[in-house]
Amino acid sequence: MKIYTKTGDGGTTSLIGGERVSKCDLRVEAYGSVDELMAFVALLTDELVDDARTAGMVDELQHISSQLMTVSALFAVGKGGQDKVKPIAEEQIEGLERSIDAMQQELPAITKFTIPGGNRAVSLCHVCRTVCRRAERAALRAGEVYAVDSSATRYLNRLSDYLYTLGRCVTERLKVTERLWIP
């Protein structure tokens, strides 16, 4: 099978179910943003993989990458594809919440905003968080026009909270000085 089909040369692409839409379609923007997030999550995972202090995080991020493929597919559903992708299970969203709660147990309370930086892995957590927020906004815009599965947008919302908390937890585990915004 060839990787190129030439069917998109005119600026259109196919959604799940066969519907052809503009590559500027809001659903394409949403799943494209999730695709970008997956690439950054992979980079973050690669950054953390060889450090025993972050081993459990690597496993979680690999699971999240799989879930992001489902999120992306949910945004790529077009006419005729509604039954081809299952929604994100509530247990997946609750799993993110449990992970957030567990990480927060390791962290000192803060009352100020966190400024990214101090370590490449910490910065990558925040890059992932901001790309996730952008993907969520793209998904919400698509949801204003098309039927978008709400489990996907809920997952992205919770995932951005997870990525923020992960950044703080990586800061703590790697003994990086946490930078807080002091106006």
Side-chain angles (χ1 to χ4, degrees):
M1 178 173 123
K2 291 185 178 186
I3 191 68
Y4 57 90
T5 62
K6 301 181 184 181
T7 59
D9 290 353
T12 64
T13 191
S14 290
L15 297 178
I16 296 171
E19 177 184 359
R20 295 223 37 105
V21 298
S22 167
K23 289 184 178 182
C24 297
D25 186 284
L26 294 171
R27 295 165 291 186
V28 177
E29 181 68 30
Y31 74 69
S33 294
V34 174
D35 188 30
E36 181 181 358
L37 175 58
M38 285 188 290
F40 277 114
V41 167
L43 184 60
L44 172 59
T45 303
D46 291 346
E47 187 70 26
L48 298 176
V49 76
D50 291 328
D51 193 323
R53 298 170 293 180
T54 59
M57 295 172 175
V58 168
D59 293 339
E60 280 192 341
L61 289 169
Q62 289 171 339
H63 178 73
I64 286 167
S65 292
S66 178
Q67 292 303 303
L68 286 172
M69 285 295 290
T70 302
V71 169
S72 183
L74 286 166
F75 296 138
V77 170
K79 294 175 187 165
Q82 293 82 352
D83 297 330
K84 297 191 182 208
V85 183
K86 292 182 181 179
I88 296 290
E90 186 63 30
E91 296 81 41
Q92 297 300 321
I93 296 168
E94 291 169 354
L96 287 175
E97 292 169 353
R98 283 190 299 276
S99 293
I100 292 166
D101 293 343
M103 285 188 287
Q104 283 190 301
Q105 295 298 314
E106 297 181 35
L107 301 172
I110 58 171
T111 58
K112 297 181 176 16
F113 289 105
T114 302
I115 297 175
N119 176 282
R120 182 175 169 84
V122 172
S123 296
L124 280 170
C125 289
H126 289 284
V127 168
C128 289
R129 173 186 57 81
T130 58
V131 173
C132 186
R133 285 286 188 209
R134 180 163 35 87
E136 180 186 10
R137 290 190 302 272
L140 292 169
R141 282 191 299 275
E144 290 178 352
V145 178
Y146 303 101
V148 171
D149 190 288
S150 65
S151 71
T153 54
R154 288 179 53 243
Y155 187 84
L156 289 175
N157 186 344
R158 208 67 79 251
L159 181 58
S160 63
D161 295 334
Y162 170 91
L163 292 165
Y164 170 77
T165 309
L166 182 67
R168 291 200 66 223
C169 196
V170 169
T171 298
E172 185 73 17
R173 288 189 186 182
L174 299 184
K175 307 294 185 217
V176 176
T177 301
E178 185 169 44
R179 299 173 52 211
L180 301 176
W181 180 52
I182 300 172

